[in-house]
Amino acid sequence: GDTSYRVEVSTNGTLRQTFDLTLSRGETWRQPVGFSFDQAGDNQTVEFRLYRNEEPYQEPLRLWIDVVG
């Protein structure tokens, strides 16, 4: 059957984007995801959280980025 997913994208703890989707078994979803930061600085974070059927599905993916401005 189909499964509902949600992807949340946050920068420095602020939710920036949410993607809600439904996938059939074996189906994949690919889409470019853009994000921005409010200011320059070192060790800023972007975080991707994945939910399946409204429950956290995997550990969040966190990236630390130095932003030059």
Side-chain angles (χ1 to χ4, degrees):
D2 292 346
T3 303
S4 298
Y5 293 93
R6 182 173 65 243
V7 177
E8 295 180 350
V9 182
S10 301
T11 58
N12 294 327
T14 300
L15 182 62
R16 301 294 181 170
Q17 295 181 66
T18 301
F19 301 93
D20 291 305
L21 51 139
T22 302
L23 299 176
S24 299
R25 185 179 182 101
E27 186 177 7
T28 60
W29 174 80
R30 293 182 187 186
Q31 178 175 326
V33 175
F35 52 88
S36 61
F37 293 90
D38 295 329
Q39 59 189 10
D42 292 344
N43 292 318
Q44 298 196 54
T45 59
V46 60
E47 181 174 271
F48 297 85
R49 290 185 174 266
L50 177 63
Y51 296 85
R52 181 173 67 179
N53 296 325
E54 303 297 323
E55 297 292 325
Y57 182 54
Q58 295 181 345
E59 290 295 314
L61 170 65
R62 290 184 188 96
L63 304 172
W64 284 265
I65 299 173
D66 293 341
V67 179
V68 179

